[in-house]
């Protein structure tokens, strides 16, 4: 099973925590081949990344440079330019036909082998929809964001062979350069991949913004209808089946009172970065902060 992360030095810490959760929760019989595309990451952080190596778990560190995307970095979201390196995963991993991409702000709770083995031979990727929209960020030019086919690019099972064969990297860059983009990389993936994706269940990319009281908050009934979920008796029953938590928008290393904060902290405390001092605030302060 091939897995890839990318990070710059600012995102090395959460990426290491995510990798730690991935490795701790894999089955003993599963083989994980993990690639980390490092954009100007310090030697100290690279050593911590490599220290996660275990039996049946290989860590491959690849140095990359996001300066190749100078001029494409403008975005209305607070996402690093390094995110654009997702466009070039098929080039960096040129000998690999299939890979699971994961953002560094995720926690993996279960073995992912069954999901990885899903057949995507006719599509560019397997993805999870970004969720129902109660407002359109970016206005009319970003209207496609409101479509119920719009997916989140923080977890993608990628068919690298098909992406290379059809020159998709170039198309992604051209869209980013010439069309309207509100989010750093996500809009380009949605428009270029179009209908050539397999949709997975919400359990494989449970996004915090779906239940965050500072952003949108959707009921179990709304989520069940939008994602066509199997019947769950309660939101807790749904949580019990989550394989990947995705801390979209609000981050647990910045706020101590967001949903699933305690889960992230568990894997932080048991990781190679556990000695770092986190300065965290209350999300309530962010919610009710007023101008003076």
């Amino acid at each position: 099973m091939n897995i890839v992360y990318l990070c710059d030095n600012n995102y090395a810490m959460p990426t290491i925590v995510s990798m730690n959760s991935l490795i701790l929760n894999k089955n003993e019989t599963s083989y994980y081949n993990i690639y980390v595309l490092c954009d100007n990451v310090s030697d100290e952080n690279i050593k911590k990344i490599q220290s996660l190596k275990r039996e049946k778990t290989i860590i491959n560190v690849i140095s990359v440079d996001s300066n190749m995307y100078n001029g494409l970095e403008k975005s209305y979201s607070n996402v690093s330019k390094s995110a654009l390196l997702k466009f070039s995963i098929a080039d960096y991993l040129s000998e690999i036909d299939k890979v699971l991409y994961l953002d560094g702000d995720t926690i993996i709770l279960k073995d992912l082998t069954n999901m990885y083995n899903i057949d995507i031979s006719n599509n560019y990727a397997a993805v999870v929809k970004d969720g129902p929209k109660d407002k359109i960020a970016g206005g009319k030019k970003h209207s496609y964001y409101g479509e119920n086919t719009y997916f989140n690019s923080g977890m993608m099972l990628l068919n690298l062979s098909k992406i290379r064969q059809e020159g998709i990297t170039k198309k992604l860059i051209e869209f980013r350069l010439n069309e309207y983009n509100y989010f750093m990389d996500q809009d380009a993936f949605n428009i270029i991949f179009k209908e050539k994706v397999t949709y997975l269940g919400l359990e494989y990319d449970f996004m915090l913004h779906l239940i965050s009281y500072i952003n949108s908050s959707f009921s179990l009934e709304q989520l069940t209808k939008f994602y066509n979920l199997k019947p769950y008796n309660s939101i807790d029953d749904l949580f019990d089946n989550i394989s990947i938590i995705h801390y979209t928008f609000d981050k647990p290393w910045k706020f101590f009172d967001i949903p699933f904060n305690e889960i992230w902290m568990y894997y932080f405390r048991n990781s190679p970065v556990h000695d770092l001092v986190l300065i965290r605030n209350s999300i309530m302060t962010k919610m009710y902060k007023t101008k003076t």
Side-chain angles (χ1 to χ4, degrees):
M1 179 172 174
N2 298 307
I3 303 154
V4 62
Y5 288 88
L6 63 86
C7 69
D8 56 20
N9 212 44
N10 291 328
Y11 231 68
M13 182 273 289
T15 299
I16 290 169
V17 175
S18 177
M19 292 175 62
N20 186 49
S21 69
L22 171 75
I23 294 165
L24 289 178
N25 289 313
K26 84 175 189 68
N27 292 339
E28 290 184 2
T29 56
S30 297
Y31 286 83
Y32 282 4
N33 192 20
I34 304 173
Y35 296 85
V36 189
L37 307 185
C38 291
D39 181 22
N40 294 310
V41 175
S42 70
D43 291 342
E44 179 182 1
N45 280 327
I46 288 176
K47 287 179 181 178
K48 290 178 179 179
I49 290 170
Q50 292 173 328
S51 73
L52 290 167
K53 181 180 179 180
R54 301 287 187 276
E55 184 179 359
K56 299 181 182 178
T57 301
I58 300 171
I59 308 292
N60 308 275
V61 173
I62 301 174
S63 295
V64 297
D65 188 353
S66 62
N67 286 329
M68 65 188 291
Y69 291 120
N70 284 345
L72 299 182
E73 58 267 48
K74 183 179 179 181
S75 173
Y76 295 95
S77 59
N78 295 320
V79 178
S80 167
K81 180 179 63 175
S82 295
L84 296 176
L85 290 164
K86 293 182 196 178
F87 294 166
S88 299
I89 288 174
D91 297 327
Y92 285 117
L93 306 183
S94 59
E95 303 301 317
I96 295 175
D97 292 333
K98 185 180 185 180
V99 72
L100 172 63
Y101 169 79
L102 293 170
D103 270 357
D105 56 352
T106 55
I107 289 293
I108 294 80
L109 300 174
K110 298 179 180 180
D111 185 274
L112 299 179
T113 303
N114 288 338
M115 184 263 277
Y116 185 83
N117 288 333
I118 291 172
D119 181 15
I120 57 169
S121 57
N122 294 321
N123 289 325
Y124 298 127
V127 295
V128 175
K129 294 179 182 179
D130 197 58
K133 309 300 180 191
D134 52 13
K135 59 183 178 180
I136 304 299
K140 293 182 180 179
K141 290 183 178 181
H142 201 213
S143 60
Y144 52 85
Y145 174 67
E147 297 177 3
N148 63 8
T149 56
Y150 188 91
F151 61 85
N152 183 271
S153 66
M155 187 293 300
M156 297 184 291
L157 181 60
L158 296 168
N159 183 345
L160 299 187
S161 178
K162 187 175 181 66
I163 288 171
R164 282 190 292 267
Q165 289 171 4
E166 301 188 15
I168 295 301
T169 294
K170 182 179 179 181
K171 294 177 182 179
L172 289 167
I173 294 172
E174 287 177 348
F175 182 89
R176 176 69 202 178
L177 183 63
N178 299 308
E179 304 296 336
Y180 179 80
N181 299 263
Y182 188 87
F183 296 109
M184 185 65 76
D185 62 276
Q186 190 164 272
D187 293 330
F189 279 112
N190 271 271
I191 296 301
I192 301 304
F193 282 7
K194 293 181 180 178
E195 71 277 3
K196 285 288 188 178
V197 295
T198 299
Y199 290 103
L200 302 178
L202 177 60
E203 297 89 347
Y204 287 114
D205 188 13
F206 191 92
M207 293 155 276
L208 188 65
H209 69 261
L210 297 175
I211 59 168
S212 172
Y213 42 80
I214 194 172
N215 295 298
S216 299
S217 186
F218 298 99
S219 67
L220 176 60
E221 182 180 0
Q222 289 173 303
L223 295 177
T224 300
K225 182 179 180 180
F226 184 83
Y227 288 102
N228 194 28
L229 300 176
K230 68 178 184 181
Y232 286 105
N233 294 323
S234 67
I235 196 74
D236 288 336
D237 289 339
L238 171 57
F239 293 164
D240 287 342
N241 285 276
I242 293 173
S243 294
I244 301 173
I245 300 173
H246 190 180
Y247 294 87
T248 49
F249 293 95
D250 306 313
K251 311 304 179 186
W253 57 93
K254 294 182 178 180
F255 301 103
F256 59 77
D257 52 355
I258 63 173
F260 303 129
N261 155 72
E262 70 285 352
I263 296 176
W264 187 89
M265 284 300 300
Y266 171 82
Y267 291 102
F268 168 78
R269 293 189 183 106
N270 290 278
S271 77
V273 293
H274 70 276
D275 57 338
L276 295 179
V277 177
L278 300 179
I279 301 176
R280 302 192 297 163
N281 297 308
S282 170
I283 196 69
M284 302 300 288
T285 302
K286 180 179 178 180
M287 285 181 67
Y288 296 111
K289 185 177 181 181
T290 57
K291 294 182 178 179
T292 57

